[in-house]
Amino acid sequence: MKMATLMRLPTATPGRVVTRTREAFHALSPSPSPPHFVEFCKGGRRGRRIIRVGVKCNSNSERAVNLGPGTPVRPTSILVVGATGTLGRQIVRRALDEGYDVRCLVRPRPAPADFLRDWGATVVNADLSKPETIPATLVGVHTVIDCATGRPEEPIKTVDWEGKVALIQCAKAMGIQKYVFYSIHNCDKHPEVPLMEIKYCTENFLRDSGLNHIVIRLCGFMQSLIGQYAVPILEEKSVWGTDAPTRIAYMDTQDIARLTFIALRNEKINGKLLTFAGPRAWTTQEVITLCERLAGQDANVTTVPVSVLRLTRQLTRFFEWTNDVADRLAFSEVLTSDTVFSVPMAETYNLLGVDTKDIITLEKYLQDYFTNILKKFEGSQSPVETIRYFLLKDDL
């Protein structure tokens, strides 16, 4: 049995989240495994909160996943976590198109993820907030691709921190050969934002775990602009914006998925941190103007000053039950500040052997979207219903 260890993540600034493993997560064996404890510590001069997470596999899971040292696992066997999300579903489709055996970890839900099965993937039910459900999903898996994030109604730490720690430790114990983790660009520069802080700490936790891994930081998805701007403009409803000059280099999730599998097959990229960004960084107003031109109608823009977001965040901090709201407002505040979410991509494209011309621009993405969909369904149903149909079918 391994000795208890202490693992501390880098603390670049005061108050940074500190992660400690009080006991190593032992390799699974027929005998009961000791629990793995993680302490989530955050605070400063005013004190700190400590949340302890216990991860223990039950006896049935242990028997199921204890494959032993000579059990072969096909390199094409992958588990996609967060497979029903905007990025996750594109990862699944790309993997299937390239001949991978795809297993999707999906939470039990009222509306089953039948579209994943229809595509040819295997769906397994598990929940990152319930660590005991994780080990069985990793049986026979070579690579984990982690696209998951918590739902808006959940505390950020439940899935994005506690669940990811459990998943990484289980992957290590199960002998997973490679782990791909999606993070946020500039997450290391904003310790005041809980989600970005947790992403940065998870990057370090994954690195210190010893797993063979790739970390991919993302700036923004083109797909998200449909719900934010296209639908409200076509419905003649308010489009919410801010008075900040934030610029985001949006990228098509299909391009992200394609580049991910190129990176996955390149052994030189193991252990590296990559950042994927679109060809150009856009302000909110520039995106709205583009959508107006393509939709052929003006947007009803409601501007929210950054100062209002800051005040709202401060007020919600007074109440324990509004802490999660304040955490998300903190992220919104960064997205509406004088920040640029973009990086030069020439070196990354060269490393991956990708031609810049093969990456879709936002102009082309939105032009194709409006032209193809509105033409195809002209006179048969409303543009809004058309958009929602394709969002559901994932033909974006």
Side-chain angles (χ1 to χ4, degrees), residues 10-14 16 188 200:
T11 55
T13 58
R16 179 166 291 285
D188 54 323
Y200 178 59

Side-chain angles (χ1 to χ4, degrees), residues 86-87 182-186 196 216-226 228-229 246-257 275-282 287 331 335 340-343 345 359-362 365:
T86 303
L87 175 60
Y182 292 100
S183 188
I184 302 173
H185 178 50
N186 281 341
M196 298 181 82
I216 300 174
R217 291 183 179 179
L218 305 173
C219 296
F221 300 155
M222 291 182 184
Q223 278 74 3
S224 66
L225 300 177
I226 301 302
Q228 285 180 282
Y229 303 113
T246 311
R247 290 185 172 273
I248 301 176
Y250 299 99
M251 198 172 194
D252 186 355
T253 54
Q254 293 185 14
D255 281 336
I256 294 172
T275 299
F276 291 170
R280 173 189 163 186
W282 295 72
V287 174
F331 187 64
L335 291 179
V340 178
F341 283 84
S342 181
V343 293
M345 288 291 291
I359 305 300
I360 192 170
T361 64
L362 183 59
Y365 173 82

Side-chain angles (χ1 to χ4, degrees), residues 19 50 119 214 232 257 379:
T19 304
I50 298 181
W119 293 347
I214 301 171

Side-chain angles (χ1 to χ4, degrees), residues 30 74 115 132 171 208 299-300 304 339 382:
R74 293 188 302 274
F115 69 94
E132 68 276 7
D208 293 343
N300 180 19
V304 180
T339 306
S382 74

Side-chain angles (χ1 to χ4, degrees), residues 46 58 111 138 158 180 202 361 372 389-390:
R46 297 184 181 180
N58 59 39
L138 296 170
T158 302
V180 179
T202 307
T361 64
N372 294 338
Y389 172 81
F390 277 94

Side-chain angles (χ1 to χ4, degrees), residues 143-156:
T143 299
V144 171
I145 302 182
D146 178 5
C147 315
T149 192
R151 295 168 179 162
E153 67 273 13
E154 294 177 312
I156 289 175

Side-chain angles (χ1 to χ4, degrees), residues 111-125:
D114 289 338
F115 69 94
L116 296 173
R117 296 186 182 89
D118 293 341
W119 293 347
T122 301
V123 176
V124 292
N125 285 332

Side-chain angles (χ1 to χ4, degrees), residues 267-304:
E267 293 300 321
K268 295 180 181 179
I269 297 179
N270 290 339
K272 287 189 178 294
L273 168 63
L274 303 177
T275 299
F276 291 170
R280 173 189 163 186
W282 295 72
T283 66
T284 297
Q285 187 53 54
E286 288 171 341
V287 174
I288 292 173
T289 301
L290 179 59
C291 288
E292 286 177 321
R293 178 167 61 83
L294 294 172
Q297 61 189 74
D298 294 335
N300 180 19
V301 182
T302 300
T303 301
V304 180

